[in-house]
Amino acid sequence: MAESVIDADRLTAAYRRYLRLERNYSANTLDAYLRDVDKLLIFLNGEGVGVVQAQLPDLQRFSASLSDIGIGARSQCRILSGIRSFYHFLLTAGYIDSDPSELLESPELGSHLPEVLTTYEIDAMESAIDLSKWEGHRNRAIIEVLYCCGLRVSELVTMRLSCLYADEHFVRVTGKGNKERLVPISDSALHEIDLWMDDRNKMDIRKGEEDYLFLNRRGSHLTRTMILIMIKRLAQDAGIKKTISPHTFRHSFATSLLEGGADLRAIQSMLGHEHISTTEIYTHIDMAALRQEVLLHHPRNLMRRNSK
């Protein structure tokens, strides 16, 4: 058993190097993939099965165990995707001769769509911000940037002053895999940033943090958890009952663009999605509104109304 533990440690160390050096994953993404592997290793250790000896039935029992401990279908899919990535690495690196995860199935997901905020609800959240507090203008700027640029929360908290091109109305964003992209930024977001900068310039900023746009009261850049807590509190203060997170603003951004007539490929580029299929997940159509549009504008319906 000790030998298998050593082997597992060696394999996970090699996998970490692969994710960091060859896939160029961020620290957060890398940690998520390794947590998935840790879950599998703990399960296989309890079954007395080595990671390189595991077969499809072993992985299927692991998949079933995720459901048994109450992990939801969407999280199961993400974990199993990480397991497939791990075994694909083991195969290509020559540690195994065949991939036992090749036929491993994920649970089916329903057609549940993420929550989306209306412009009215976003305005209500901004109105709930107490501008007499030192962080007031900062929080308004955060809401505007999230909604107007569709950034991931990890992109927001690492946003730098040196990457903001206000005159050109663009911000340079570093996304997944350290890939950079230029995202348009609106006048409203730039206005809120200017107001925040008036307060930010009075702060005692910690050494090494000078280039981060959004800071906490100690002069350090924000964390994803800080943004989540802030948004949850603002939603509650604004009387919004929806379950929202920073990602809700990203979905709202994509939805607003789509409903405004933007091309799906343009939305894909602004969101930084590698595949168009990922962008399609963020878009939805209000079927009631669509039905009304058909009733009002389809030529057959126009003919019937005109003939009455």
Side-chain angles (χ1 to χ4, degrees):
M1 182 62 67
E3 182 65 24
S4 66
V5 172
I6 294 173
D7 287 344
D9 289 343
R10 180 165 60 87
L11 293 175
T12 53
Y15 184 48
R16 174 187 286 273
R17 288 193 298 272
Y18 163 75
L19 294 177
R20 181 168 55 88
L21 300 177
E22 296 192 33
R23 299 304 299 271
N24 202 24
Y25 283 160
S26 68
N28 289 330
T29 302
L30 189 149
D31 289 343
Y33 272 81
L34 292 176
R35 284 196 298 271
D36 296 337
V37 173
D38 285 341
K39 290 182 176 68
L40 175 67
L41 294 178
I42 292 171
F43 174 83
L44 292 178
N45 186 53
E47 297 277 303
V49 178
V51 65
V52 297
Q53 288 79 35
Q55 299 298 314
L56 178 60
D58 302 309
L59 300 185
Q60 288 172 331
R61 289 197 303 275
F62 168 69
S63 177
S65 73
L66 298 177
S67 179
D68 292 342
I69 61 177
I71 295 178
R74 193 169 297 277
S75 295
Q76 289 180 47
C77 289
R78 184 193 57 75
I79 292 170
L80 295 179
S81 176
I83 299 307
R84 293 189 195 93
S85 171
F86 178 56
Y87 274 103
H88 176 73
F89 160 74
L90 295 181
L91 179 65
T92 56
Y95 291 107
I96 56 177
D97 296 324
S98 61
D99 183 356
S101 71
E102 188 174 6
L103 299 178
L104 181 63
E105 296 183 354
S106 295
E108 292 187 4
L109 296 176
S111 57
H112 172 72
L113 290 169
E115 293 279 15
V116 60
L117 291 168
T118 65
T119 303
Y120 172 81
E121 289 170 326
I122 292 169
D123 289 343
M125 289 180 66
E126 291 188 356
S127 297
I129 296 172
D130 186 352
L131 295 180
S132 67
K133 295 183 177 180
W134 77 269
E135 73 273 20
H137 286 298
R138 182 203 67 182
N139 291 351
R140 281 182 67 100
I142 287 173
I143 296 298
E144 278 296 304
V145 170
L146 282 174
Y147 179 55
C148 295
C149 299
L151 303 187
R152 300 178 178 94
V153 66
S154 58
E155 296 167 348
L156 177 90
V157 297
T158 56
M159 190 172 169
R160 295 177 180 268
L161 288 170
S162 58
C163 295
L164 182 61
Y165 307 104
D167 291 341
E168 293 80 10
H169 284 74
F170 277 99
V171 59
R172 179 158 49 87
V173 175
T174 302
K176 289 186 176 181
N178 283 333
K179 294 180 179 178
E180 292 187 345
R181 69 185 190 278
L182 288 174
V183 177
I185 186 168
S186 67
D187 285 329
S188 61
L190 289 172
H191 174 68
E192 295 299 339
I193 288 174
D194 284 341
L195 294 176
W196 156 237
M197 289 300 297
D198 290 340
D199 296 329
R200 184 186 183 280
N201 291 335
K202 302 172 186 176
M203 295 180 62
D204 183 17
I205 301 174
R206 294 184 62 177
K207 186 177 180 181
E209 304 285 300
E210 297 89 351
D211 198 28
Y212 286 102
L213 175 58
F214 296 116
L215 304 172
N216 60 28
R217 64 175 64 249
R218 294 181 297 278
S220 298
H221 68 278
L222 300 175
T223 66
R224 295 184 299 173
T225 302
M226 291 176 184
I227 302 294
L228 175 62
I229 292 172
M230 182 266 285
I231 284 175
K232 293 283 190 183
R233 286 175 178 170
L234 283 179
Q236 183 177 20
D237 292 344
I240 296 172
K241 304 301 182 182
K242 297 174 180 177
T243 302
I244 68 170
S245 69
H247 203 71
T248 307
F249 290 86
R250 184 166 162 86
H251 180 63
S252 303
F253 165 81
T255 302
S256 296
L257 287 180
L258 186 73
E259 292 178 346
D263 180 76
L264 198 59
R265 292 287 181 182
I267 299 173
Q268 175 191 5
S269 175
M270 284 184 279
L271 292 176
H273 288 158
E274 186 174 356
H275 302 292
I276 192 69
S277 58
T278 308
T279 311
E280 290 169 347
I281 296 173
Y282 287 90
T283 60
H284 73 276
I285 298 175
D286 186 331
M287 295 308 293
L290 177 61
R291 177 179 178 275
Q292 187 64 23
E293 288 296 307
V294 172
L295 291 175
L296 286 174
H297 302 295
H298 193 280
R300 294 301 189 201
N301 295 318
L302 289 173
M303 288 173 61
R304 289 193 181 93
R305 285 203 303 273
N306 292 335
S307 64
K308 290 181 179 180

